[in-house]
Amino acid sequence: MPRRGLILQTRTHWLLFGLALLCSLVLFLYLLECAPQTDGNASLPGVIGENYGKEYYQALLQEQEEHYQTRATSLKRQIAQLKQELQEMSEKMRSLQERRNVGANGIGYQGNKEQAPSDLLEFLHSQIDKAEVSIGARLPSEYGVIPFESFTLMKVFQLEMGLTRHPEEKPVRKDKRDELVEVIEAGLEVINNPDEDDEQEDEDGPLGEKLIFNENDFIEGYYRTERDKGTQYELFFKKADLMEYRHVTLFRPFGPLMKVKSEMIDITRSIINIIVPLAERTEAFAQFMQNFRDVCIHQDKRIHLTVVYFGKEGLSEVKSILESVASESDFHNYTLVSLNEEFNRGRGLNVGARAWDKGEVLMFFCDVDIYFSAEFLNSCRLNAEPGKKVFYPVVFSLYNPAIVYANQDVPPPVEQQLVHKKDSGFWRDFGFGMTCQYRSDFLTIGLRVMSPADHGATSLLKPRLHISRLS
């Protein structure tokens, strides 16, 4: 039995081996049958058929060469376009540089007008023609006037205060300082190198040399911005040993600075008639006359005082104060007009203006609680022009000293209270009661300046201003 099982197992193995061999043979025949037929003359490129492979590679090289030639042509075309764009950009940069040179060196002078593009100059001059720098403008009310902000070499008097700003900026912020320094330098360039059409004469120094102004001769300046036109600058220069002022007007029409005019102003013979309406308030009038004596009599010396007094009570005290000041200072240029009426400021200004019978005069409508300086009186002369301009200074209104100095036993003297600080007062930019204007303009227009009497505050006049041009 065991022997028969061994034989049967051996036969089975051979049978399986034969079947596997048969299947392999069938599969090999099938693969041979399915293989692709080839041409008897063809051969694998580069291996046996050497001639066919060479042609193939030549065709391949030719195709690659054509591809690279096309790429090179495209790159050459792009390089040419880039060169053209670079040339156009260079021309634009050259044009911008020429415009910048016109603004920095010429300030709109006649000699540079031919260099600058005509359309640019036409636009800039059109902005100047539309702005209020040259002609007056009709406004719906006094609140439509765009106020000026004044500045010196060290500070800027700010009208818009807000919660974090102060009524004067010192030191001046860098961007604003750079702007104003550029403007002052442009004004000096105009004065030291005048054009033929400038309204100023060449003046020699004490040794016969040409008179040259520098930044130390800058007195004060004003600027304001019309948002749709540009910024106007009014600059005043003065040599310490001369009486004449040099006035330069510049305009920046959202572009280079443009000169509007340059002139010399002589204010040595300009008399100011200060008109003060008054009722009672004799103590305030005594303080006013103390400041008047120090500033107008001892320093300026070109002032006439007109006091229009309402009522009888206190009239004798006012006469006594005027006579005392006149005798002590040998001053007799004053007029006292008495009206037995209730106080009316507009009525008092009208009567005071008509009380002057010596022809044309510059008038300053003033209140009894106003303190001003000699510099302000010169600002009044410089910024009012008969038939053209009236001057409305913006007063700095001081708070009640009993509140500001409540932590002190006694408030400091009035002179020490006259400071521009956020905690001590504010700019009264909404008031137009103080004004400098010529008598002929006042009588021609028939203006009556009305404002409620303010008996609780003291105001300090500094060169913060509204300037209105008469159209």
Side-chain angles (χ1 to χ4, degrees):
M1 282 299 290
R3 185 176 180 84
R4 291 183 59 188
L6 181 61
I7 296 173
L8 181 61
Q9 186 176 6
T10 303
R11 291 179 178 178
T12 303
H13 287 168
W14 280 106
L15 179 61
L16 293 176
F17 177 76
L19 291 175
L21 185 62
L22 179 62
C23 290
S24 300
L25 180 61
V26 172
L27 180 61
F28 178 73
L29 294 175
Y30 175 77
L31 291 176
L32 291 178
E33 188 69 21
C34 293
Q37 298 295 327
T38 59
D39 191 359
N41 297 328
S43 62
L44 293 177
V47 180
I48 300 176
E50 183 177 354
N51 293 334
Y52 184 84
K54 183 178 180 179
E55 293 177 356
Y56 172 80
Y57 281 116
Q58 287 179 349
L60 182 62
L61 288 175
Q62 184 178 1
E63 180 181 356
Q64 292 295 326
E65 184 179 359
E66 293 177 356
H67 172 73
Y68 286 127
Q69 288 179 354
T70 304
R71 179 62 176 168
T73 303
S74 176
L75 290 176
K76 289 180 180 179
R77 183 168 56 252
Q78 294 180 15
I79 292 174
Q81 292 177 354
L82 290 175
K83 287 183 178 180
Q84 183 178 359
E85 293 178 1
L86 180 61
Q87 184 178 1
E88 293 177 356
M89 290 298 297
S90 300
E91 293 177 356
K92 290 182 180 180
M93 292 296 295
R94 191 181 303 109
S95 176
L96 290 175
Q97 185 65 32
E98 291 176 357
R99 296 180 184 181
R100 182 178 300 176
N101 292 336
V102 170
N105 301 326
I107 321 175
Y109 290 164
Q110 297 290 336
N112 287 325
K113 289 183 179 180
E114 296 179 358
Q115 300 176 6
S118 59
D119 55 346
L120 174 61
L121 283 177
E122 183 178 354
F123 167 74
L124 297 178
H125 285 290
S126 67
Q127 292 293 95
I128 296 178
D129 294 338
K130 292 186 293 184
E132 202 178 343
V133 63
S134 300
I135 58 176
R138 294 187 178 276
L139 303 174
S141 67
E142 65 270 23
Y143 302 105
V145 176
I146 302 176
F148 285 79
E149 293 196 5
S150 66
F151 64 96
T152 63
L153 289 175
M154 301 301 297
K155 64 180 66 175
V156 173
F157 295 95
Q158 301 177 131
L159 186 61
E160 298 180 0
M161 293 172 56
L163 296 177
T164 60
R165 302 184 67 183
H166 295 272
E168 70 176 18
E169 183 179 354
K170 181 182 179 181
V172 184
R173 198 177 59 204
K174 183 180 183 304
D175 58 339
K176 187 183 298 182
R177 183 178 68 251
D178 294 343
E179 172 195 358
L180 298 180
V181 167
E182 177 192 3
V183 171
I184 294 174
E185 291 177 352
L188 291 172
E189 179 71 19
V190 171
I191 294 177
N192 295 327
N193 299 282
D195 289 342
E196 296 179 357
D197 57 346
D198 289 340
E199 299 178 9
Q200 63 183 50
E201 300 177 356
D202 294 336
E203 192 170 355
D204 296 333
L207 301 179
E209 73 281 5
K210 181 181 178 181
L211 192 62
I212 300 297
F213 286 77
N214 55 52
E215 63 178 11
N216 294 326
D217 301 320
F218 175 70
I219 303 300
E220 62 181 353
Y222 311 117
Y223 72 95
R224 68 174 179 179
T225 300
E226 297 181 64
R227 298 185 183 277
D228 59 336
K229 300 178 182 68
T231 303
Q232 174 184 351
Y233 303 92
E234 303 287 341
L235 310 177
F236 295 93
F237 301 84
K238 180 181 179 298
K239 286 287 186 182
D241 53 347
L242 298 177
M243 293 300 295
E244 294 82 5
Y245 284 78
R246 297 293 179 92
H247 174 213
V248 178
T249 300
L250 301 175
F251 194 80
R252 190 195 299 273
F254 298 127
L257 281 169
M258 304 288 290
K259 184 192 70 176
V260 178
K261 68 176 180 179
S262 177
E263 60 183 352
M264 180 185 297
I265 303 178
D266 185 2
I267 60 174
T268 56
R269 301 180 181 179
S270 178
I271 297 176
I272 299 179
N273 182 17
I274 300 179
I275 302 176
V276 181
L278 183 63
E280 302 178 356
R281 305 196 65 190
T282 55
E283 294 182 1
F285 183 70
Q287 292 183 352
F288 175 84
M289 289 304 299
Q290 180 179 354
N291 181 64
F292 181 87
R293 179 177 58 249
D294 296 339
V295 173
C296 300
I297 300 178
H298 295 164
Q299 299 182 41
D300 192 88
K301 302 178 181 180
R302 293 164 291 169
I303 299 296
H304 184 93
L305 176 63
T306 300
V307 180
V308 182
Y309 194 85
F310 290 82
K312 298 297 184 181
E313 185 178 356
L315 179 59
S316 59
E317 288 84 348
V318 170
K319 288 182 179 180
S320 176
I321 294 172
L322 287 172
E323 292 173 356
S324 176
V325 172
S327 61
E328 293 176 0
S329 306
D330 192 23
F331 175 77
H332 303 284
N333 295 330
Y334 70 90
T335 302
L336 176 61
V337 180
S338 177
L339 298 177
N340 191 16
E341 305 172 8
E342 292 184 1
F343 179 80
N344 186 308
R345 187 175 187 272
R347 164 74 170 159
L349 297 176
N350 195 8
V351 171
R354 298 180 184 277
W356 178 272
D357 57 358
K358 300 178 183 179
E360 183 70 292
V361 69
L362 177 60
M363 303 184 302
F364 171 39
F365 294 162
C366 184
D367 287 344
V368 72
D369 53 4
I370 293 292
Y371 287 80
F372 52 86
S373 63
E375 290 78 11
F376 164 75
L377 296 176
N378 287 333
S379 297
C380 185
R381 295 182 175 98
L382 292 171
N383 293 289
E385 188 174 354
K388 293 184 178 180
K389 292 191 297 183
V390 295
F391 174 63
Y392 290 91
V394 179
V395 301
F396 188 76
S397 186
L398 299 176
Y399 296 137
N400 191 335
I403 299 177
V404 176
Y405 306 98
N407 59 342
Q408 302 182 16
D409 296 335
V410 179
V414 176
E415 291 76 10
Q416 297 182 16
Q417 300 178 26
L418 304 180
V419 293
H420 298 89
K421 292 184 178 180
K422 186 176 182 181
D423 298 332
S424 61
F426 65 98
W427 291 111
R428 192 181 289 270
D429 60 311
F430 51 83
F432 291 83
M434 308 302 116
T435 175
C436 296
Q437 56 186 286
Y438 278 85
R439 184 173 183 270
S440 59
D441 294 330
F442 178 82
L443 298 178
T444 300
I445 298 176
L447 179 65
R448 299 184 68 218
V449 180
M450 303 287 292
S451 67
D454 185 358
H455 299 287
T458 300
S459 297
L460 171 63
L461 272 181
K462 293 293 287 183
R464 298 288 294 103
L465 68 153
H466 301 278
I467 297 180
S468 295
R469 296 185 180 274
L470 304 178
S471 57

